[in-house]
Amino acid sequence: MSSTVVPAATETPRLGEGGPTPRALRRRSVRHFTATDALVLAGSLGASASLVWVVFYQLTFLAGAAGYVVCTLAVFLAIYYVANRHLFGRMAAADRVVAALATMAAAGVVTALALVVAWLVAHGYHLVSVTFLTRDQKGVLNTQPASAGGISHAIVGSLEEVGLATLIGAPAGVVTAVFLSEVGGRITGLVRTVVTAMSGLPPIVAGLFIYVVLITELHYGFRGFAGSLALAIMILPNVTRTTEEVLSVVHESLREASMALGAPAWRTVWSVVIPTARTGIVTALLLGIARVVGEAAPLIVTIFGSPAMNANPFSGPQEALPLFVFDYRSSSVAADIERAFSAGLVLVALVAVLFLLARIFSAMKPGTVGRLLRPSRHRRQEALS
Amino acid sequence: MRRESGAAPAALEEPAPVPAPAPLRTVTTASGLVADGVSAWFSGRLVIESVSLEMEASKVTALIGPSGCGKSTFLRILNRMHEVTPGAELAGRVLLDGEDIYGPEMRPTETRRRIAMVFQKPNPFPAMTVEDNVLSGLKFSGKRPRGKEKDDLVEEMLTRAGLFSEVKARLKTLGGELSGGQQQRLCIARALAVRPSVLLMDEPCSALDPSSTRRIEETMREIAEEVTVVVVTHNMQQAQRVSDYCALFLAGENAPGRIVEKGSTKDIFENPKDERTSDYVHGRFG
Ligand SMILES: Nc1ncnc2c1ncn2[C@@H]1O[C@H](COP(=O)(O)OP(=O)(O)OP(=O)(O)O)[C@@H](O)[C@H]1O
Ligand SMILES: [Mg+2]
């Protein structure tokens, strides 16, 4: 790199330059979970499990796995605290007990979700097949086995209804958030209150509102689009609240930098604030959508439901996945209940995909989304540089 | 209140020798800036009172003074950034080439384009590439240079800010991925790219290493030909090296900030009239 020649023998390997062997740079682990720690943990768990077993089943004749687990965990915390305090002192013990509590809470949440999904998979997986996903329920009698017919009409209906709801609700939500966070003024407080109230609106009320206004007053009739409007009412406040949160994280100094360069307010919002918050906004949208994909209540009174495929959301009753689950689960026929479980599984998978996308977007660096959306221009830039 | 222009330049000492500046395209002409009886309030609290200062065209004026005496506030009043802060009020006039920038027919966006600003903390746009950061000011005013013109402009501005050699291979990386000092120099390049007639710099070197600091100081001297520079600094040597004129701000315990003394840098440092000035520049307080 430099022109001065240094005799190689006197040169000591410098940090960060690789040194003679790459292995000389071994990364050190800075988290220490020693054998003692592991022993204390395992010992406390074993001790509490055995102690509670003795008390629970031998001395008191209590029963029930759930009670046993809860008591074991409580006793574990106590033993864990005492053991750690004895070995490492009061501060370290408190620290570890709090960490153990937090871990247990997290594990509890994950277990609850895993159980729901596992239960659904166990009941629903055997029906999910290509035929199930590509056929509708037209002409299928409930005396036929569950393998007859499918849910394609519900999938298509859900995608169309939610898609249209997003087209209406999402832009309105983002623009409202921009108003709250960037424009402001005297009515900000009022708008924010209304949005908050809207996000607390029971889904069935959103459905009934559309029902009363569109279907009974304007004689618009049941159709997918009516459901979309009800869902849009639910998407809007969620998107607004999350997006406003995301916009408020954009540092004030960036707005000032933009203004100091002579940008008018709309330019600042469009070219600086939104691009900076873009990944967050995309996440807000996906979460807002995922939130309503599973709503059945607003659809009951707006799309009505239909066993046959209806790909036109603007005419005639339509089906939707959550509505299908709701209807078929309330049936007294075993085959219908089976269908409901499988449709539920498909619905959960759909929501999972949306959440996964949200996670991927939120982990992205700012600007990545824009580049993904404009791949051709990006490639041209790459070629130039 | 106003100093006679022309008195100082004759006696002006040449600053530290500067390598011959590359011939720069002179697109703008420097404008003189005059603050006339400027006061400022934050939520009703008076923080600077009746400050008058003439910042001569094509010269570097340094604002010095202890922390909290209102230097940044004063600087922000000079390009209408003060009014952006909620609860901020002001009095007085600021004349750019004799025209009051707070006059009813003046648009803040236009004024800010002519009076650019570099902030105390680096604030590049994190979602834009290094190149787009440099071009952002032009984009905001609807101009989009293309092709070679664009590349030349980016290179020229980054070179002036002393950053080009470090980032020339990384023009397409995001502005937020540079180091703090590099970010500050990127902000300087960004401010210069709009070819302002006045450049306000609020402690531009407080995050920089000595060699970048030197590069920025050289840039200030170079661009003074075509841009009037007003710089806030806590570094007395820097004030001496770069500025033609100096103004010392001081604020009392519960009193708002005022200018204690102003004049040619040479006078302020070698021959101060006020005892507080001599105390401050020799580091005896503040
Ligand atoms: N946004 C604000 N809201 C309320 N008060 C403010 C605000 N900004 C500055 N002030 C007050 O105005 C006074 C002057 O602040 P200013 O930032 O101009 O000082 P400064 O001279 O730039 O200091 P430093 O050298 O530390 O940057 C201070 O007393 C400060 O508390
Ligand atoms: Mg300051």
Side-chain angles (χ1 to χ4, degrees):
Chain A
M1 176 176 115
S2 72
S3 54
T4 41
V5 182
V6 184
T10 62
E11 196 176 40
T12 50
R14 270 172 292 172
L15 265 183
E17 290 200 356
T21 54
R23 225 181 292 160
L25 297 175
R26 235 201 5 257
R27 289 166 181 78
R28 289 191 62 184
S29 159
V30 290
R31 293 170 148 266
H32 299 289
F33 190 74
T34 60
T36 324
D37 297 332
L39 269 179
V40 172
L41 185 63
S44 310
L45 266 176
S48 55
S50 334
L51 179 65
V52 176
W53 183 76
V54 169
V55 174
F56 222 70
Y57 294 111
Q58 306 302 309
L59 299 180
T60 58
F61 302 104
L62 286 167
Y68 176 72
V69 169
V70 169
C71 293
T72 304
L73 289 179
V75 174
F76 159 75
L77 284 179
I79 296 181
Y80 195 51
Y81 178 78
V82 173
N84 272 308
R85 195 177 136 180
H86 183 69
L87 287 169
F88 308 111
R90 189 187 291 258
M91 292 285 272
D95 186 46
R96 284 177 187 201
V97 167
V98 171
L101 252 178
T103 311
M104 281 180 192
V109 170
V110 173
T111 313
L113 180 65
L115 283 176
V116 170
V117 173
W119 183 72
L120 201 56
V121 169
H123 283 78
Y125 82 97
H126 57 274
L127 255 194
V128 180
S129 66
V130 175
T131 33
F132 187 69
L133 294 177
T134 53
R135 282 206 223 135
D136 61 13
Q137 293 286 337
K138 193 174 174 191
V140 178
L141 304 172
N142 57 12
T143 48
Q144 286 179 268
S147 56
I151 55 165
S152 65
H153 60 311
I155 296 175
V156 168
S158 264
L159 291 179
E160 285 179 351
E161 288 143 20
V162 173
L164 284 171
T166 308
L167 283 182
I168 301 162
V174 172
V175 172
T176 311
V178 166
F179 171 79
L180 288 177
S181 136
E182 309 296 323
V183 183
R186 233 174 287 163
I187 59 168
T188 315
L190 177 70
V191 174
R192 191 172 287 123
T193 312
V194 169
V195 168
T196 312
M198 256 175 100
S199 67
L201 192 73
I204 185 71
V205 175
L208 284 172
F209 168 71
I210 297 296
Y211 175 76
V212 169
V213 172
L214 273 191
I215 295 168
T216 63
E217 290 297 319
L218 299 175
H219 306 290
Y220 188 66
F222 295 114
R223 61 194 73 185
F225 188 62
S228 298
L229 291 176
L231 293 182
I233 293 178
M234 310 215 45
I235 288 182
L236 187 140
N238 283 317
V239 168
T240 299
R241 276 155 45 110
T242 336
T243 305
E244 196 196 351
E245 208 65 43
V246 170
L247 292 180
S248 72
V249 176
V250 174
H251 212 280
E252 199 53 42
S253 70
L254 294 181
R255 295 188 183 90
E256 290 202 339
S258 168
M259 276 185 272
L261 286 165
W266 69 268
R267 255 290 181 202
T268 302
V269 172
W270 183 250
S271 299
V272 175
V273 178
I274 290 185
T276 307
R278 185 153 49 195
T279 50
I281 295 175
V282 172
T283 312
L285 291 182
L286 286 172
L287 291 178
I289 298 164
R291 171 76 186 66
V292 299
V293 171
E295 283 296 351
L299 299 179
I300 298 173
V301 290
T302 51
I303 65 170
F304 195 71
S306 145
M309 169 70 85
N310 172 13
N312 183 357
F314 298 102
S315 141
Q318 239 189 348
E319 189 59 281
L321 277 173
L323 190 60
F324 182 94
V325 174
F326 177 76
D327 281 344
Y328 282 68
R329 184 68 184 80
S330 1
S331 161
S332 54
V333 180
D336 280 348
I337 294 176
E338 258 180 78
R339 291 185 182 108
F341 272 113
S342 300
L345 186 58
V346 172
L347 180 57
V348 168
L350 199 66
V351 176
V353 168
L354 282 176
F355 274 110
L356 200 71
L357 283 177
R359 286 301 300 245
I360 292 172
F361 279 122
S362 58
M364 275 182 185
K365 282 186 212 154
T368 327
V369 182
R371 259 179 272 153
L372 286 179
L373 295 177
R374 283 171 287 144
S376 55
R377 194 184 138 200
H378 179 51
R379 245 178 276 131
R380 211 162 55 232
Q381 281 180 347
E382 297 275 81
L384 283 177
S385 59
Chain B
M1 277 293 248
R2 274 189 213 169
R3 57 167 302 105
E4 294 293 318
S5 56
L12 190 75
E13 202 184 34
E14 262 307 301
V18 166
L24 297 170
R25 202 154 39 101
T26 309
V27 183
T28 55
T29 41
S31 305
L33 198 58
V34 178
D36 179 20
V38 165
S39 307
W41 293 262
F42 281 113
S43 329
R45 190 168 69 92
L46 187 62
V47 295
I48 54 180
E49 188 182 3
S50 309
V51 169
S52 295
L53 183 67
E54 184 176 336
M55 290 144 279
E56 217 179 287
S58 295
K59 299 286 178 213
V60 178
T61 305
L63 309 180
I64 57 175
S67 188
C69 64
K71 306 179 298 297
S72 298
T73 307
F74 179 68
L75 210 61
R76 289 167 62 91
I77 289 175
L78 296 182
N79 77 337
R80 301 202 61 166
M81 286 304 289
H82 180 64
E83 66 208 58
V84 168
T85 313
E89 295 165 297
L90 74 142
R93 296 189 307 160
V94 177
L95 307 174
L96 176 67
D97 282 340
E99 223 182 333
D100 186 3
I101 64 168
Y102 287 95
E105 70 289 351
M106 297 296 277
R107 282 198 319 214
T109 49
E110 198 49 51
T111 305
R112 292 178 196 138
R113 247 167 246 165
R114 291 184 61 192
I115 309 179
M117 179 157 195
V118 174
F119 291 81
Q120 198 163 351
K121 292 195 204 95
N123 52 4
F125 302 124
M128 289 187 199
T129 62
V130 170
E131 181 179 273
D132 288 344
N133 260 288
V134 176
L135 299 171
S136 55
L138 295 177
K139 185 175 145 196
F140 295 161
S141 45
K143 291 186 218 88
R144 281 168 202 274
R146 301 210 173 274
K148 178 148 168 44
E149 188 195 353
K150 178 191 78 175
D151 296 341
D152 288 349
L153 184 77
V154 170
E155 174 168 352
E156 181 191 337
M157 294 308 157
L158 288 172
T159 308
R160 282 188 180 192
L163 185 61
F164 187 67
S165 54
E166 276 165 73
V167 300
K168 63 170 175 265
R170 300 168 64 191
L171 292 178
K172 302 284 192 251
T173 56
L174 296 177
E177 287 174 14
L178 301 181
S179 80
Q182 291 172 333
Q183 290 184 5
Q184 185 64 306
R185 282 175 285 159
L186 180 58
C187 293
I188 293 172
R190 180 176 70 184
L192 289 175
V194 296
R195 302 203 185 272
S197 36
V198 179
L199 180 64
L200 311 175
M201 302 173 106
D202 197 347
E203 291 180 49
C205 300
S206 57
L208 298 187
D209 63 298
S211 73
S212 317
T213 302
R214 183 158 179 79
R215 186 73 197 85
I216 299 302
E217 289 177 7
E218 286 166 10
T219 300
M220 285 187 224
R221 295 304 324 173
E222 277 170 30
I223 62 177
E225 298 268 305
E226 55 192 77
V227 182
T228 306
V229 177
V230 184
V231 56
V232 172
T233 179
H234 283 299
N235 182 329
M236 292 304 119
Q237 282 80 37
Q238 180 170 69
Q240 268 177 297
R241 281 194 300 264
V242 301
S243 68
D244 303 304
Y245 300 102
C246 232
L248 172 70
F249 282 69
L250 279 185
E253 287 271 304
N254 282 312
R258 297 161 175 275
I259 290 187
V260 170
E261 187 167 352
K262 57 191 169 182
S264 77
T265 303
K266 195 169 155 55
D267 286 346
I268 295 274
F269 280 89
E270 287 168 17
N271 199 2
K273 293 187 193 63
D274 196 301
E275 199 183 329
R276 290 171 293 176
T277 312
S278 108
D279 284 348
Y280 185 77
V281 300
H282 294 111
R284 282 195 284 272
F285 74 78

